[in-house]
Amino acid sequence: MQDLMLILPPLIVFLGATALLLVDLKIADDRKETVAWIAMFLLVGALIAAVMLLYFNRTGDVLYGFSNMILTDRYAALLDIVFALIGIGVFLLTLRYNRVHQIMRGEFFVLTLFSIGGMMLMAHAANLVTIFVALEMFSIPLYVLCGVARPRLDSEESSLKYFLLGAFASGFLVYGIALMYGATGTLDIATMLKQVERGQAPLLLVIGAGLMLVGLGFKVAAVPFHMWTPDVYDGAPTTVTAFMTTATKAAGFAALVRVFLLGPGAFVGSLVSAIAILAALTMIFGNLFALAQRSVKRMLAYSSIAHAGYLLAGIASVANIGQSANAVIFYLATYAATSLAAFGVLSEIGSMNRDEDHGLERYTGLAKRNPALAWVMALALFSLMGMPLTAGFTGKYLLFQSAVSSGLNWLALLGVITSVISAFYYLRVIVHMFMKEDATVAANNEQYYVSKPSLVMMTLASVAVVALGLLPTLLLNMFA
Amino acid sequence: MTSIEPVILLSAVLFTIGAVGVLTRRNALMIFMSVELMLNAANLAFVAFAQQWGNLDGQLFVFFVMAVAAAEVAVGLALIVAIFRTKHSTDVDELSQLRG
């Protein structure tokens, strides 16, 4: 019984999603919004369960369950909360976007719920078996979700590309786990950690963890394993992209934190240097490629690669592991809020043109046509840039601080320089929105309005961005 | 008890063939088969290591890999069929609607 309590949030999501799959059959096609509301209700339940886990375990002990396959600690509960909130935010966006693009289907919500359940399970993983199963549990529904706008070719294409590269990545992950098992004779992360701490890091373990890093690098879109990211994020429906940039990233980093930061990886010097190099490459190339983009959706895809780079810098900072893990989880929360605000705007714009064109010209003069959308977008872009007083600044500050305290001054410096470079492409969008006139505005007499659920979501996300920027201690106190 | 080294060597060779196959093949089905080869190479390694350590953790993992691979096959083949209906081809080089 106590075991079940430990994984209550993912349990609610999985059981609820299975039941919803049946309920969905009884709901007529033109009333699928009901399914969305039930799904949100389930996520609120999971959210409450996660808050309870946090509340009843105030000392922050690591509680194990299911023969040490599952654990619950502060990070797990906080990540559960983040995943549940992301899910609610995305579902609020789907109410308009999915209706307009005719993908308002029951399975959309069920698949998203299954994916969220897998991500929550990832946050609770204490064993490499759990890591692998959770990874596939959230990935396989995502392959389908990318292609949900079938027969639109770009959606199908994004789906197949994501699937082939995702399967390739899990091949590396599984082989890496096999070698780590071969080196240590166990799949339990804590036991492995003990062996490594005693100074036994055989070559086989290092190679295995390296292969695992490649597999997870694909999932979080780290350079040089990022090739799929722009195509997949660009081709998938915007609501799915919003989900992927925020939740998939958080789940991938949950695994990296468990295996590399809090696990055996942190004690192997060569792996830590490899992660630092990956972080540097990801920051540099993510930001440079983003400079060249004309489509705002594609630009945000590259920006999400760049942000994976900043997060990897946190994974590479192993001097004070607790501090780095706090910084990474905090950054994931701030990035989720920021990215959801930005994609809220994108999904509204995408709802107003059927062909889903996100070229810069669609955003030209947006401040005149719809000030609310323009201001939310501006706030999100400032936060992505890392402007002080926004969540993005606090997040980056904490990450770079832990990098400096681990002696990775060069990495922190590189992070600051690439953040400055990123200001170019973020500001370009802001300039287009606020300072340029839209010449075609008379020609296309579109009604720019924002739907109520999306407005609620964007308001909440914006409040979170500002609140985490001004009062980061609100969230940070939960770590201590 | 026989030595496990030849088995691990074989699994490494299979894994490499699979990885090279994914990178060089242009047909979605062939890429998919190469991925399966990689997963099965890992299974072989798991079983061999389980023999070496004398515990069942590795053999247990193989069952999870097989179950997950079956789920991936179901989804993957459905995706390939869907895209074949639209494009009448399973060549990944023709999937260039989105600039890479």
Side-chain angles (χ1 to χ4, degrees), chain A residues 159-205:
Chain A
S159 170
L160 189 66
K161 278 184 183 166
Y162 192 30
F163 168 73
L164 289 176
L165 282 163
F168 188 46
S170 48
F172 279 99
L173 185 93
V174 174
Y175 204 76
I177 295 177
L179 295 187
M180 284 171 90
Y181 170 67
T184 59
T186 178
L187 288 164
D188 185 64
I189 297 174
T191 318
M192 233 177 234
L193 177 63
K194 273 192 208 111
Q195 291 194 11
V196 176
E197 271 175 332
R198 263 187 264 126
Q200 304 164 349
L203 184 63
L204 206 53
L205 179 84

Side-chain angles (χ1 to χ4, degrees), chain A residues 16-203:
Chain A
T18 314
L20 192 58
L21 201 55
L22 296 174
V23 173
D24 172 53
L25 291 173
K26 285 284 168 203
I27 296 175
D29 273 349
D30 55 341
R31 292 181 46 226
K32 289 295 183 198
E33 279 83 357
T34 324
V35 185
W37 288 110
I38 300 174
M40 277 185 250
F41 178 73
L42 280 171
L43 287 176
V44 171
L47 187 65
I48 294 170
V51 172
M52 270 167 53
L53 282 183
L54 207 58
Y55 182 77
F56 286 119
N57 184 14
R58 259 166 297 182
T59 45
D61 299 333
V62 184
L63 305 170
Y64 287 91
F66 292 100
S67 320
N68 292 343
M69 295 295 263
I70 294 287
L71 62 79
T72 292
D73 58 1
R74 253 199 208 98
Y75 300 131
L78 282 169
L79 282 169
D80 284 347
I81 294 175
V82 170
F83 291 132
L85 288 175
I86 290 173
I88 295 171
V90 170
F91 287 158
L92 284 172
L93 293 180
T94 59
L95 292 175
R96 178 178 184 196
Y97 180 90
N98 285 22
R99 180 57 76 198
V100 171
H101 288 276
Q102 291 162 349
I103 48 172
M104 196 55 148
R105 304 201 191 112
E107 60 269 28
F108 182 96
F109 303 102
V110 175
L111 285 169
T112 314
L113 281 180
F114 278 133
S115 189
I116 291 174
M119 289 164 178
M120 287 178 168
L121 198 62
M122 180 66 99
H124 287 269
N127 191 299
L128 293 179
V129 178
T130 322
I131 297 244
F132 169 66
V133 173
L135 186 94
E136 295 298 331
M137 265 173 151
F138 82 71
S139 297
I140 293 177
L142 275 176
Y143 303 145
V144 185
L145 278 173
C146 288
V148 80
R150 195 171 79 85
R152 235 175 62 189
L153 191 58
D154 52 352
S155 172
E156 282 187 347
E157 202 177 298
S158 122
S159 170
L160 189 66
K161 278 184 183 166
Y162 192 30
F163 168 73
L164 289 176
L165 282 163
F168 188 46
S170 48
F172 279 99
L173 185 93
V174 174
Y175 204 76
I177 295 177
L179 295 187
M180 284 171 90
Y181 170 67
T184 59
T186 178
L187 288 164
D188 185 64
I189 297 174
T191 318
M192 233 177 234
L193 177 63
K194 273 192 208 111
Q195 291 194 11
V196 176
E197 271 175 332
R198 263 187 264 126
Q200 304 164 349
L203 184 63

Side-chain angles (χ1 to χ4, degrees), chain A residues 315-463:
Chain A
I315 302 284
S317 314
V318 291
N320 185 344
I321 286 168
Q323 187 198 11
S324 308
N326 287 354
V328 169
I329 307 286
F330 182 83
Y331 198 87
L332 287 173
T334 60
Y335 181 69
T338 311
S339 187
L340 272 183
F343 274 99
V345 176
L346 256 69
S347 99
E348 288 300 290
I349 301 277
S351 303
M352 287 178 279
N353 66 114
R354 279 298 183 81
D355 49 342
E356 273 266 50
D357 169 22
H358 285 288
L360 260 180
E361 57 283 0
R362 303 253 10 145
Y363 292 78
T364 307
L366 186 66
K368 279 244 174 67
R369 280 175 290 168
N370 193 316
L373 282 182
W375 281 105
V376 172
M377 191 69 179
L379 177 68
L381 292 176
F382 276 127
S383 178
L384 288 173
M385 206 185 298
M387 278 291 257
L389 303 184
T390 60
F393 173 76
T394 333
K396 272 186 190 157
Y397 176 78
L398 290 172
L399 277 180
F400 296 158
Q401 191 189 32
S402 57
V404 168
S405 63
S406 304
L408 292 169
N409 294 0
W410 62 277
L411 202 55
L413 187 67
L414 193 63
V416 174
I417 293 172
T418 51
S419 297
V420 172
I421 294 175
S422 77
F424 282 106
Y425 58 84
Y426 293 130
L427 281 175
R428 186 164 61 199
V429 179
I430 294 175
V431 167
H432 269 264
M433 286 192 306
F434 284 88
M435 294 169 197
K436 290 208 172 162
E437 287 291 324
D438 184 2
T440 60
V441 78
N444 68 59
N445 197 6
E446 279 168 298
Q447 288 294 310
Y448 271 78
Y449 76 97
V450 188
S451 76
K452 277 217 183 68
S454 309
L455 192 64
V456 169
M457 198 290 282
M458 283 187 274
T459 314
L460 291 179
S462 309
V463 169

Side-chain angles (χ1 to χ4, degrees), chain A residues 183-352:
Chain A
T184 59
T186 178
L187 288 164
D188 185 64
I189 297 174
T191 318
M192 233 177 234
L193 177 63
K194 273 192 208 111
Q195 291 194 11
V196 176
E197 271 175 332
R198 263 187 264 126
Q200 304 164 349
L203 184 63
L204 206 53
L205 179 84
V206 180
I207 299 173
L211 286 176
M212 237 188 129
L213 184 63
V214 173
L216 292 173
F218 267 106
K219 289 287 167 192
V220 301
V223 176
F225 316 115
H226 68 287
M227 316 74 89
W228 57 274
T229 320
D231 284 3
V232 172
Y233 284 9
D234 198 9
T238 306
T239 40
V240 178
T241 313
F243 182 63
M244 282 200 294
T245 52
T246 52
T248 315
K249 186 138 295 179
F253 273 99
L256 282 169
V257 167
R258 290 280 179 226
V259 181
F260 288 91
L261 200 52
L262 304 174
F267 290 88
V268 185
S270 50
L271 280 176
V272 175
S273 334
I275 296 176
I277 291 167
L278 271 188
L281 287 176
T282 311
M283 286 179 201
I284 296 171
F285 288 103
N287 282 308
L288 287 185
F289 286 136
L291 278 176
Q293 302 308 316
R294 296 296 298 173
S295 150
V296 176
K297 198 174 174 186
R298 230 175 149 77
M299 182 272 277
L300 283 177
Y302 278 107
S303 135
S304 101
I305 298 176
H307 283 271
Y310 303 131
L311 282 158
L312 277 172
I315 302 284
S317 314
V318 291
N320 185 344
I321 286 168
Q323 187 198 11
S324 308
N326 287 354
V328 169
I329 307 286
F330 182 83
Y331 198 87
L332 287 173
T334 60
Y335 181 69
T338 311
S339 187
L340 272 183
F343 274 99
V345 176
L346 256 69
S347 99
E348 288 300 290
I349 301 277
S351 303
M352 287 178 279

